[in-house]
Amino acid sequence: MSQSLLENLIEQLQCLPGVGPKTAQRMAFHLLQRKRQAGKELSVVLNEAMDNIGQCSECRNYTELELCGICQNAKRAIDGTLCIVESASDLAAVEQSAQFSGRYFVLHGCLSPIDGVGPSEIGLFQLEQMLENGHVSEVILALNPSVEGEATSHYIADICKSHNISITRIAHGIPVGGELEMVDSSTITHALMGRKQF
Amino acid sequence: MLAELESKQAFILHTRAFKENQLIIEFLVEGEGRLSIIASKGGKKNSARTALLQPFRPLIIKYKVGRGLHSLKSVELNPESADIRLKSKSLFCGFYLNEVLCRLCKSDAQYDELFPLYDYAISHLQHSSEREIDTQSGMYLEAILRQFEYRLLVMLGYGISFDYDLHSEADIKADKYYELLAGSGFVFSNTPQRAIIGSDLMGIDSFLNTDLEIEKLSAHKLKLAKLILRACLHRHLGDKPLKSRELFRK
């Protein structure tokens, strides 16, 4: 027997992260009972977004334009800093801190050979070309402190060294509001190694 | 009542997300081999656990044996082993070891000798990381990889002999030329252009079988060992290339 439209809707909603069958069913009923108009608008926007949002040709952030808003802003290129992040959500987190006024490069992943992710899959050849052609004076690594993040950092550091570009990495340490006794030994090691004059 | 679970030494080879809050972890477990074990993610609230569930760290784990996947009950850092923090090229070599191992060794098959073999290679990679030996010539790292590849092939029953001609069973002669039959060994060759001279083959297996003594390594023999072992590995890995080789920039 063919699947009903409702069953299909519930199944498709499960493609979202954190949404299982029960939540998907709740979402579907909610849209049908109370938010039909909002549901229609959502479907239109979703359709447009999936068709039109691509990656910025410079930084690989998501945008429907050739260049994203940050890359179009000439002021952000003045100091020549380039912050490398793993995902678009990491970029949003750094932007929210309002502490960085340079440009970004989004990898959309980290080096993980067993998963089939090598330098070309995360745009490192594009990054190398950018460093060759662009006016980058400092690369800031803002990658997650995992083994894959570490490998990616070393690979990028090699590229920077071969082009004589200064490279720095954001500090690893104790989060604000965290408790020292609950922090793992690697983070404490990093925090001690990266201590600063007070 | 459940029997008490045994503590075993282990290394993580690879982790992948499973459902929302779980991971399927490929462990290399002492006395067992490669095992797929399901574990809950450490998450933001348990960063100490997340930090432990990373490749290359020497761990002690307890797990419950299941029909397909096993489930992880506890994990801690091995107090008797120095913590491993690979850097730069050593880290890329570590990824290479893990990829070769995952491609060649089946999950849940019994490989008793695999853990000490991997432990030996990883601790030497750590040694190289600490002293930055690789910055000199890269020979030390190359030697670790070649020993691992050769010993892994021997352990899996794919070893080749460097001592005798496969067809005539006569000893390899220093002034004769030999051709490699990947996966089998060497045979006498009449075409020196495409063959290897016997004197170059001599001593390669003793180097591959004995512990590292960097000052005794010859760059030429190391390069030859690389070509031979690459051909042997290719035979068992198939046409899909090893992705980790892309990490080594030329």
Side-chain angles (χ1 to χ4, degrees):
Chain A
M1 215 175 81
S2 69
Q3 208 179 24
S4 75
L5 197 54
L6 179 62
E7 283 168 342
N8 196 9
L9 174 64
I10 292 171
E11 197 182 305
Q12 297 308 322
L13 282 169
Q14 291 174 48
C15 73
L16 295 166
V19 178
K22 203 78 185 164
T23 315
Q25 183 180 296
R26 217 177 69 227
M27 285 174 166
F29 288 152
H30 179 77
L31 289 173
L32 293 169
Q33 280 169 3
R34 297 195 178 89
K35 301 273 182 184
R36 269 183 193 256
Q37 189 53 36
K40 282 182 184 174
E41 283 164 21
L42 173 68
S43 74
V44 171
V45 174
L46 201 57
N47 200 24
E48 262 182 55
M50 291 305 116
D51 282 344
N52 299 320
I53 295 180
Q55 287 180 5
C56 169
S57 60
E58 285 274 316
C59 73
R60 302 186 5 129
N61 190 15
Y62 292 122
T63 176
E64 67 267 38
L65 305 168
E66 172 68 16
L67 283 179
C68 71
I70 295 173
C71 291
Q72 280 181 31
N73 186 347
K75 283 182 189 166
R76 301 202 65 141
I78 292 172
D79 68 350
T81 50
L82 183 75
C83 180
I84 299 182
V85 290
E86 225 172 279
S87 65
S89 53
D90 290 346
L91 184 152
V94 179
E95 271 298 273
Q96 216 167 17
S97 74
Q99 290 297 307
F100 179 68
S101 56
R103 287 181 298 157
Y104 293 91
F105 189 85
V106 186
L107 300 173
H108 296 288
C110 260
L111 289 174
S112 179
I114 298 184
D115 296 314
V117 183
S120 57
E121 281 77 14
I122 56 170
L124 293 181
F125 298 137
Q126 186 186 332
L127 174 69
E128 185 160 15
Q129 218 157 30
M130 197 172 164
L131 296 180
E132 266 171 16
N133 305 334
H135 306 284
V136 179
S137 56
E138 181 190 352
V139 166
I140 301 169
L141 294 168
L143 304 179
N144 291 329
S146 61
V147 168
E148 288 81 8
E150 190 78 3
T152 312
S153 301
H154 282 296
Y155 192 94
I156 296 170
D158 267 359
I159 299 176
C160 290
K161 274 175 200 156
S162 61
H163 293 94
N164 284 324
I165 293 170
S166 139
I167 182 157
T168 55
R169 182 155 79 168
I170 58 166
H172 296 171
I174 321 296
V176 176
E179 289 171 38
L180 199 65
E181 62 171 334
M182 300 303 284
V183 175
D184 67 282
S185 59
S186 335
T187 308
I188 293 180
T189 309
H190 278 296
L192 278 171
M193 279 160 60
R195 70 188 186 279
K196 283 164 69 176
Q197 196 75 43
F198 185 66
Chain B
M1 205 174 100
L2 283 172
E4 199 177 325
L5 301 170
E6 205 183 331
S7 293
K8 288 195 171 162
Q9 292 187 61
F11 283 105
I12 289 179
L13 301 173
H14 182 240
T15 56
R16 62 180 191 276
F18 178 64
K19 293 186 178 170
E20 280 299 307
N21 300 311
Q22 288 175 310
L23 295 168
I24 294 179
I25 308 178
E26 295 297 325
F27 275 103
L28 175 60
V29 183
E30 171 201 17
E32 299 284 344
R34 186 184 146 202
L35 297 180
S36 298
I37 299 181
I38 197 161
S40 60
K41 269 187 192 170
K44 288 172 191 165
K45 288 180 184 166
N46 196 349
S47 69
R49 186 180 162 94
T50 312
L52 279 179
L53 298 179
Q54 298 283 334
F56 313 121
R57 302 197 78 179
L59 303 173
I60 298 279
I61 62 165
K62 282 184 184 176
Y63 62 96
K64 195 176 163 193
V65 178
R67 279 187 191 167
L69 289 170
H70 313 301
S71 54
L72 188 69
K73 294 297 164 196
S74 74
V75 58
E76 59 180 287
L77 208 57
N78 185 354
E80 287 171 16
S81 181
D83 200 3
I84 307 278
R85 286 175 206 284
L86 302 182
K87 292 179 202 158
S88 193
K89 285 207 176 82
S90 303
L91 182 54
F92 300 158
C93 291
F95 275 119
Y96 177 77
L97 298 187
N98 288 3
E99 193 180 8
V100 169
L101 213 152
C102 285
R103 293 270 299 272
L104 286 181
C105 302
K106 286 179 188 162
S107 203
D108 275 324
Q110 186 83 26
Y111 300 113
D112 292 344
E113 298 156 35
L114 194 52
F115 186 86
L117 181 65
Y118 184 83
D119 190 21
Y120 170 83
I122 288 291
S123 51
H124 276 85
L125 288 181
Q126 167 73 1
H127 179 72
S128 161
S129 251
E130 280 168 358
R131 302 197 180 181
E132 296 185 350
I133 296 171
D134 58 306
T135 52
Q136 294 296 319
S137 60
M139 269 175 62
Y140 189 79
L141 289 176
E142 290 272 352
I144 297 167
L145 297 187
R146 298 299 84 80
Q147 287 197 334
F148 179 80
E149 288 167 347
Y150 180 71
R151 293 173 188 193
L152 182 65
L153 287 169
V154 170
M155 191 203 81
L156 294 171
Y158 304 141
I160 58 166
S161 170
F162 289 82
D163 295 334
Y164 62 90
D165 181 325
L166 209 61
H167 287 167
S168 67
E169 295 191 356
D171 287 348
I172 296 276
K173 302 266 186 327
D175 56 345
K176 297 275 191 292
Y177 285 88
Y178 297 89
E179 210 171 310
L180 172 70
L181 295 182
S184 315
F186 295 92
V187 289
F188 176 73
S189 170
N190 285 317
T191 49
Q193 296 85 355
R194 290 171 51 202
I196 307 163
I197 192 156
S199 57
D200 280 350
L201 290 178
M202 289 173 169
I204 288 186
D205 61 340
S206 66
F207 144 66
L208 292 170
N209 274 316
T210 47
D211 288 354
L212 287 166
E213 289 178 82
I214 192 164
E215 64 277 10
K216 288 187 183 169
L217 299 181
S218 129
H220 174 65
K221 284 197 177 178
L222 201 53
K223 200 173 174 185
L224 192 61
K226 183 178 184 171
L227 294 173
I228 294 167
L229 289 166
R230 186 171 279 209
C232 294
L233 278 174
H234 179 74
R235 188 181 156 88
H236 304 293
L237 289 170
D239 290 331
K240 192 181 165 194
L242 286 167
K243 200 76 186 166
S244 44
R245 284 194 183 133
E246 291 178 19
L247 301 180
F248 300 93
R249 274 161 55 82
K250 290 189 177 86

